């Protein structure tokens, strides 16, 4: 593939299994002028496995602002750069987000080379709703901030996704249980694509019990069910109107018929009444 000068390439890397590095990613990493890596030791091992030898610069959370300016200057001078994270897609809970913003501000072309994503992989295999979801990242270690975050999303109806480290898992599960309730469904994806990959589909209460008696190991992606509405219609509005008209045939007034059908079938009285009168 043709590498363009002065361009930043966002390259997805394996989250475990090295076979998940795409041929296109290998091409880009082989041809750019240099690689910006979250941890040069980790990425150095990956490049070595594919016999790629490239100059590397460290780009991580504590130097992201200063180093972003250095990388941008090199891009503006005509060099090409691939930015990678230790595992998965750069910019997702990753300082690459800052670098892309700075490049956008300087009108530097950016190209994404899609690759593995722990968020999407865990969601796909969770068994929970996938049509609407919110990625919440890592919860803060601050107790007050963590509880505020959970309370902000406790009534969301879409699926919630969190990252968590093993040493904080039990505390997080207990807090989720306290805010969301012990019956809320959760899928815990552990060590995705690795030798000891495990998917645990359970409830928050059962997850707490499990890890009170078992030391968690590996990195986790937590997929939490959204809140379920208490009342959902079990029939169509047409069926509710038909029920109301049955009551009217029996001699009941329209207002009573609409109210009764609404209560029985879970619709608003006004919607049924309007349909009767139309």
């Amino acid at each position: 593939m043709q590498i363009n000068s002065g361009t930043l390439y966002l390259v997805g890397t394996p989250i475990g299994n090295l076979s998940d590095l795409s041929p296109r990613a290998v091409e880009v990493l082989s041809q750019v002028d240099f690689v910006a890596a979250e941890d040069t030791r980790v990425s150095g091992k990956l490049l070595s496995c594919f016999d790629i030898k490239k100059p590397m610069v460290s780009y991580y959370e504590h130097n992201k602002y200063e180093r972003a300016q250095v990388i941008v200057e090199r891009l503006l001078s005509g060099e090409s750069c691939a930015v990678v994270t230790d595992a998965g897609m750069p910019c997702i809970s990753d300082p690459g987000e800052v670098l892309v913003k700075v490049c956008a501000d300087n009108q530097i072309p950016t190209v994404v080379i899609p690759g593995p994503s722990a968020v999407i992989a865990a969601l796909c295999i969770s068994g929970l709703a996938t049509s609407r979801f919110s990625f919440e990242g890592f919860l803060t270690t601050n107790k007050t901030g963590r509880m505020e975050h959970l309370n902000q999303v406790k009534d969301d109806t879409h699926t919630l996704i969190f990252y968590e480290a093993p040493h904080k898992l039990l505390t997080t599960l207990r807090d989720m249980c306290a805010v969301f309730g012990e019956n809320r469904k959760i899928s815990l994806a552990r060590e995705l694509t690795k030798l000891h990959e495990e998917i645990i589909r359970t409830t928050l209460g059962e997850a707490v019990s499990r890890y009170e008696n078992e030391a968690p190991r590996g990195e986790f992606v937590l997929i939490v069910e959204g809140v379920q509405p208490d009342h959902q219609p079990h029939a169509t509005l047409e069926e509710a109107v038909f029920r109301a008209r049955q009551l009217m045939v029996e001699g009941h007034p329209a207002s009573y018929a609409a109210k009764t059908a609404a209560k029985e079938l879970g619709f608003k009285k006004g919607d049924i009444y309007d349909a009767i009168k139309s």
Side-chain angles (χ1 to χ4, degrees), residues 119-120 123 129-138 149 152-153 156-163 221-226:
V119 175
I120 300 302
L123 176 64
T130 62
S131 58
R132 293 187 64 210
F133 60 91
S134 174
F135 176 57
E136 302 295 327
F138 284 99
H149 188 158
Q152 286 173 358
V153 299
D156 287 359
T157 57
H158 48 261
T159 302
L160 303 171
I161 306 176
F162 300 85
Y163 281 159
V221 184
L222 310 179
I223 313 293
V224 182
E225 178 186 41

Side-chain angles (χ1 to χ4, degrees), residues 13-14 18 21 29 35-58 82 84-87:
T13 55
L18 292 182
L21 187 68
L29 291 169
V35 175
E38 181 180 10
D39 187 325
T40 55
R41 295 165 299 181
V42 172
S43 295
K45 292 177 182 178
L46 175 67
L47 297 183
S48 178
C49 286
F50 291 87
D51 197 28
I52 299 172
K53 297 178 175 62
K54 285 292 169 180
M56 301 180 72
V57 297
S58 64
V84 297
T85 185
D86 287 351

Side-chain angles (χ1 to χ4, degrees), residues 1 4 7-11 24 28 81 108-114:
M1 100 175 245
N4 299 318
T7 299
L8 177 71
Y9 293 86
L10 314 178
V11 180
R24 187 176 177 218
V28 169
C81 171
I108 293 172
T110 55
V111 177
V112 63
I113 313 299

